[in-house]
Amino acid sequence: MSSAPPTPPKNLYICIECSSPVQSLYTAYSSADDCSLGRGVRLTQCPRCKRFADKYVEHDFVVLFIDLVLIKPQVYRHLLFNRLGREDDRFEPSIIRLGFLLLLFDVYLTWARIERNIPTDPLNTSAFGILTQRPIVVQYLFFLLLCLTESLLFHLTIRLISQYLLGATRPNAVSTALIVSSCTKLFPILMVIWNYEVPAAAKSVGWAVVVNNVEALRISLGIDYFRAAGLAGAGAVVRAVASQTILGWTGLLGDSDRWGGMGVGIEEWVGRLGLGK
């Protein structure tokens, strides 16, 4: 069942097919019909490509999520420009809630991954063992601060580069694009149903998020794939360095956590690249 069409912000409408500006996304031609069922609404036809300017105004969030996972540019244009875009560049409350939810999933994955490296020896006095001896609240706060620091540095790096090198004038819109494109982090909720390897899941989800981030940055900033990949890569490097530093300083850096959880140390990278010969 389709949800009621959203009320998009003014002067930010675009055709999700060809990116041409349009005056409106739909026309409510009958107040008697039930708009929650998709009736009483006539979608606007784009004057340039002759297709519906935004078909997603009649679709529910399940369809949006599926198309986000499939990395369809149309759904990103719908969300970033026609639904969440604001002239004052302020965050929508729904984006703040989504960002907080993604942070909690980061905490869960990081905590689970590091716990897999903790020896089962009860006499273990390493940093791993000491951490498990702390109250559960202390452990949670540690991983929460770790993930929060990583996320803030990731967003701040991309915002600054896009603002000072690419001339972006809406930094909050950049963060919105990153949060929306990171929705694939919600996939680990399937661990409640199926049991699978946490490090492998973290790697797969991490790469999927990077690909979605690149597409969202390309559409949000109107740049090519090369520069979008450079932005996402710069943010990922800063986040990985921060993670390595914090985990190394606390003595929690395991082999599966090296270089962003890829399980590869710098010596191995040198060997793979043939630089150690």
Side-chain angles (χ1 to χ4, degrees), residues 151-189:
S151 298
L152 290 177
L153 290 176
F154 176 70
H155 280 257
L156 183 61
T157 300
I158 296 179
R159 285 164 63 111
L160 291 177
I161 294 177
S162 62
Q163 186 173 1
Y164 292 103
L165 295 184
L166 300 180
T169 58
R170 300 170 61 205
N172 284 341
V174 175
S175 290
T176 297
L178 293 173
I179 293 174
V180 169
S181 60
S182 298
C183 65
T184 49
K185 288 183 179 181
L186 301 178
F187 275 134
I189 197 174

Side-chain angles (χ1 to χ4, degrees), residues 203 262-277:
K203 295 174 191 177
M262 291 184 286
V264 179
I266 187 170
E267 298 86 357
E268 188 173 347
W269 277 114
V270 172
R272 290 182 180 184
L273 295 173
L275 300 178
K277 297 180 180 179

Side-chain angles (χ1 to χ4, degrees), residues 2-8 24-45 52-59:
S2 301
S3 59
T7 302
S24 64
L25 300 179
Y26 62 88
T27 301
Y29 59 87
S30 176
S31 58
D33 287 336
D34 188 357
C35 291
S36 64
L37 299 178
R39 299 194 297 264
V41 172
R42 181 175 58 195
L43 297 180
T44 300
Q45 186 180 43
F52 289 135
D54 193 341
K55 61 183 179 181
Y56 287 108
V57 297
E58 290 187 320
H59 293 174

Side-chain angles (χ1 to χ4, degrees), residues 81-155:
F81 291 96
N82 294 341
R83 195 183 193 104
L84 301 174
R86 297 182 53 151
E87 291 179 298
D88 55 6
D89 193 34
R90 299 178 66 179
F91 284 114
E92 286 284 340
S94 58
I95 289 298
I96 297 177
R97 291 192 295 268
L98 177 60
F100 183 72
L101 179 62
L102 294 177
L103 177 63
L104 296 182
F105 270 83
D106 272 339
V107 172
Y108 171 72
L109 282 178
T110 304
W111 196 347
R113 186 179 72 246
I114 291 181
E115 276 193 337
R116 292 295 179 93
N117 295 327
I118 298 178
T120 56
D121 183 4
L123 300 178
N124 175 43
T125 58
S126 65
F128 289 108
I130 295 175
L131 182 63
T132 57
Q133 297 172 11
R134 302 296 181 184
I136 194 72
V137 175
V138 175
Q139 297 182 45
Y140 186 84
L141 289 177
F142 170 79
F143 289 110
L144 178 62
L145 291 176
L146 171 65
C147 295
L148 180 60
T149 301
E150 293 176 3
S151 298
L152 290 177
L153 290 176
F154 176 70
H155 280 257

